[in-house]
Amino acid sequence: MTSTELTIRDFRPEDAEAVATAHRAGREHLVMTAEALLWMNARQNPDEHFRTFVVESDGRVVGAVRCGLVLGTTTTGVGYANGSVLPGFRRRGAATALLAAAERHLAGHGVTELHTWLDEEPDSLAFASARGYELGSTAQFGGRDLTLPLPQAPVRPAGVELRPATDWADDPRPLFLVEAEAIRDEPGEVSIDALDYEEWLRDDWARPDLDRGLTVVAVVDGAPAAFTMVQTDGVDRYWSAFTACRREFRGRGLSKLAKLESLRLAATAGYRHAYTSNDMTNAPMLAINAWLGYERCAGERKGIKRLT
């Protein structure tokens, strides 16, 4: 292919499969469906200013970037831009053009600090550095073959039940309260200290790839104390999206119990590949995932740029 003509434009519904393919290309650990992308782009949230830009090469969609303002925090002016280009179309200016479009869009909506996740590979890190991004936190992806045996379940403490999130389908606020407390302690450059229930319902609970049957809740004396939230591709891939535990219940093994039960249910349901991600400073969760049999399969770095 000799042509290098590129076109940047807004996402269209018919782009969903191509964008999902570009997102996953060379990244077996990323679980993303076309259905989820359609849902993301159909949401209505004027505060986020969410936008997906795609790049075409000779009329073919070869990459995309999703961008918006970071919500759920009292820190102002922070945005995100995450994307990918098909391997065969890299080093041709596509990623540069996508990132520039995201930067212009977000700067126009008051973003002064832009965050992006980078593959922890020399070319990706050099690309970001050359475009004014400084490196921040490091995360590790873990993968697990669900056809292999799972660890034996620890003894469950008295008064603890393990229940699916479907039990809260009519009123998920108790689960939101667990997440709103736990996410304040998540490592990272931006503190998520103002999570809003309506935003959580729209952006997390309503996701089409959220599997509420595999999302397992640890209940203590009738009230949710911890959970592990799960997204799937509906075929054979499982993603551990977030694990939360209220502060007063930490140290009792509730997160371990919930995650193990979720993996057991996933294996029974026919899922074969499980993936997760953790900040490298989150030693307790890294230890739990190692016990569960996850092995490192990739890494990523946060890139941060001041927009002027």
Side-chain angles (χ1 to χ4, degrees), residues 144 149-157 160 162 216 252-265 291-292:
R144 195 200 196 284
L150 290 162
Q152 183 175 351
V155 176
R156 192 182 304 178
V160 175
L162 297 178
V216 174
R252 303 188 191 183
L254 300 183
S255 295
K256 179 185 285 189
L257 285 168
K259 288 175 74 75
L260 178 60
E261 176 65 4
S262 178
L263 289 173
R264 185 191 68 78
L265 292 171
W291 178 83
L292 289 166

Side-chain angles (χ1 to χ4, degrees), residues 6-10 48-55 65-69 79-81 93-115 131 133 305-308:
L6 301 172
T7 301
I8 303 295
R9 62 167 174 79
D10 280 311
E48 188 180 12
H49 298 290
F50 179 85
R51 196 101 166 255
T52 297
F53 295 101
V54 304
V55 58
V65 62
R66 302 182 310 280
C67 59
L69 273 68
Y80 66 89
T96 299
L98 284 171
L99 202 53
E103 290 176 3
R104 287 192 299 270
H105 168 65
L106 295 175
H109 291 287
V111 169
T112 57
E113 183 176 289
L114 182 58
H115 293 206
R131 286 152 186 81
Y133 286 81
K305 180 178 182 178
R306 297 292 300 179
L307 301 183
T308 58

Side-chain angles (χ1 to χ4, degrees), residues 70-230:
V70 176
L71 303 180
T73 177
T74 56
T75 305
T76 59
V78 180
Y80 66 89
N82 297 309
S84 183
V85 174
L86 288 172
F89 293 86
R90 293 172 188 171
R91 296 179 178 273
R92 301 185 185 186
T96 299
L98 284 171
L99 202 53
E103 290 176 3
R104 287 192 299 270
H105 168 65
L106 295 175
H109 291 287
V111 169
T112 57
E113 183 176 289
L114 182 58
H115 293 206
T116 185
W117 281 109
L118 309 161
D119 293 331
E120 196 175 28
E121 299 173 354
D123 286 350
S124 181
L125 301 182
F127 168 88
S129 178
R131 286 152 186 81
Y133 286 81
E134 297 182 355
L135 297 182
S137 55
T138 305
Q140 170 182 296
F141 290 99
R144 195 200 196 284
D145 184 344
L146 286 178
T147 67
L148 299 178
L150 290 162
Q152 183 175 351
V155 176
R156 192 182 304 178
V160 175
E161 299 176 84
L162 297 178
R163 294 164 53 186
T166 50
D167 287 359
W168 287 269
D170 294 334
D171 179 17
R173 183 179 287 275
L175 305 186
F176 163 78
L177 294 175
V178 175
E179 179 164 343
E181 179 177 317
I183 203 168
R184 288 173 173 263
D185 299 325
E186 277 291 289
E189 287 81 5
V190 180
S191 176
I192 306 301
D193 55 359
L195 197 63
D196 177 79
Y197 181 54
E198 295 302 322
E199 288 177 356
W200 180 84
L201 284 176
R202 180 180 55 246
D203 298 338
D204 293 280
W205 189 249
R207 285 186 66 108
D209 53 356
L210 173 65
D211 192 314
R212 298 178 188 176
L214 299 182
T215 295
V216 174
V217 183
V219 178
V220 178
D221 297 329
F227 68 75
T228 186
M229 186 174 285
V230 173

